[in-house]
């Protein structure tokens, strides 16, 4: 089986560059943007050898997992472009729901529950299934935005800050190619809702419906400081809002988020 776009993605004029192996799909997308590619264009591979996650971490992606990046060249400001990550999370969650229908019927009450973790992880049963990395670069008077989505299809790394899991370990026996086809179609839907940031209120509403840890105890590590409280919401710019013990609502723009028991451990 080879990587193919879904019918909605094809109808929308989306392009595709598939690789048997590549260093980084994000790096390739930015290179193409510098060369004049306007997108939307997917870059996808089952084996990435030099992937990276947030905070310059290495993204481990053995052969058979899905490494994918979508290039969009827009006229929006960087702060608005950053909210595209929430649309990406919704896209992947929708794709996962689609490809896991058989597993859901087979597993019944034991079927995995997919949730979205701020700022841009997708969880399955509380464990990290996918990470999303946004990168942007000014190209002339426009902004090239690359949304990288790495998903653990057949294997998950060990020893990560948030325990990780793969689709195979969850009993969902699909290939990276099938997941990508569903993802490419879902992207068209949620990119359309986002609409260069104009539709972020609706994206925010949909994201909060699927949010992990909403209303629960949270600890956020920002550099050497730790902010504790309750995960209250995300605001209209995508900031995490933490309600502290004294009732203050503190916005967080970046940080490592821990919920429940993990939040208590991190705070000590």
């Amino acid at each position: 089986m080879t990587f193919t776009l879904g019918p909605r993605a094809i109808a929308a004029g989306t392009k595709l560059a598939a690789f048997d192996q590549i260093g980084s799909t994000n790096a390739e997308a930015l290179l193409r943007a510098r060369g004049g590619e306007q997108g939307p264009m997917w870059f996808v591979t089952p084996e990435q050898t030099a992937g990276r996650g947030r905070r310059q971490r290495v993204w481990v992606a053995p052969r058979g997992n899905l490494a994918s990046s979508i290039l969009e060249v827009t006229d929006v400001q960087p702060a608005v472009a950053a909210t595209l990550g929430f649309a990406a999370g919704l896209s992947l969650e929708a794709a996962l729901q689609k490809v896991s229908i058989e597993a859901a019927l087979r597993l019944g009450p034991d079927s995995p529950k997919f949730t979205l973790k701020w700022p841009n992880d997708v969880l399955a049963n509380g464990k990290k299934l996918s990470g999303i990395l946004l990168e942007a670069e000014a190209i002339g008077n426009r902004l090239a935005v690359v949304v990288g989505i790495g998903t653990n299809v057949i294997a998950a790394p060990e020893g990560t800050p948030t325990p990780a899991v793969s689709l195979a370990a969850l009993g969902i026996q699909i290939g990276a190619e099938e997941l990508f086809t569903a993802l490419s179609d879902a992207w068209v839907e949620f990119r359309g809702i986002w609409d260069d940031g104009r539709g972020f209120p609706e994206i925010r509403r949909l994201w909060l419906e699927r949010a992990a840890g909403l209303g629960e105890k949270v600890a956020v590590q920002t550099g050497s400081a730790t902010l504790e409280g309750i995960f209250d919401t995300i605001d209209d710019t995508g900031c995490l809002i933490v309600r502290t013990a004294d009732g203050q609502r503190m916005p967080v723009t970046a940080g490592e988020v821990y919920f429940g028991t993990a939040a208590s451990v991190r705070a000590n």
Side-chain angles (χ1 to χ4, degrees), residues 26-198:
N26 264 34
E28 179 66 20
L30 284 171
L31 184 65
R32 297 287 187 98
R34 294 177 197 128
E37 177 58 57
Q38 297 292 298
M41 185 171 187
W42 281 101
F43 300 82
V44 62
T45 184
E47 186 174 12
Q48 186 169 246
T49 59
R52 58 192 186 277
R54 291 172 56 237
R55 300 173 181 266
Q56 300 304 310
R57 293 192 180 113
V58 174
W59 180 265
V60 179
R63 187 168 189 84
N65 281 358
L66 176 62
S68 54
S69 299
I70 179 73
L71 168 66
E72 298 271 357
V73 180
T74 77
D75 296 314
V76 304
Q77 294 300 308
V80 174
T83 64
L84 189 53
F86 295 95
L90 287 165
S91 298
L92 183 58
E93 190 269 345
L96 289 165
Q97 294 287 1
K98 181 176 182 179
V99 300
S100 63
I101 290 174
E102 183 277 331
L105 293 173
R106 172 167 43 84
L107 297 171
D110 295 324
S111 61
K113 175 178 174 58
F114 301 113
T115 54
L116 304 177
K117 182 185 176 188
W118 187 92
N120 45 23
D121 289 344
V122 179
L123 307 182
N125 296 344
K127 295 183 177 181
K128 183 169 178 175
L129 180 66
S130 176
I132 298 169
L133 175 67
L134 270 72
E135 296 184 280
E137 188 173 305
I139 305 291
N141 60 355
R142 307 192 76 200
L143 188 69
V145 183
V146 176
V147 185
I149 306 173
T151 307
N152 302 324
V153 176
I154 65 163
E158 298 180 357
T160 52
T162 299
V165 71
S166 67
L167 289 175
L170 293 166
I172 302 174
Q173 304 299 327
I174 64 160
E177 298 88 351
E178 183 181 350
L179 176 58
F180 170 71
T181 299
L183 174 60
S184 70
D185 272 350
W187 177 261
V188 174
E189 177 182 356
F190 290 101
R191 168 65 175 85
I193 295 171
W194 180 74
D195 190 24
D196 287 344
R198 289 180 288 269

Side-chain angles (χ1 to χ4, degrees), residues 180-232:
F180 170 71
T181 299
L183 174 60
S184 70
D185 272 350
W187 177 261
V188 174
E189 177 182 356
F190 290 101
R191 168 65 175 85
I193 295 171
W194 180 74
D195 190 24
D196 287 344
R198 289 180 288 269
F200 184 65
E202 177 63 6
I203 291 292
R204 174 181 176 272
R205 183 187 70 80
L206 293 169
W207 191 94
L208 284 168
E209 287 179 354
R210 296 155 176 81
L214 188 64
E216 296 179 12
K217 183 174 182 179
V218 65
V220 186
Q221 285 189 326
T222 55
S224 60
T226 300
L227 175 65
E228 299 176 65
I230 300 298
F231 175 16
D232 196 54

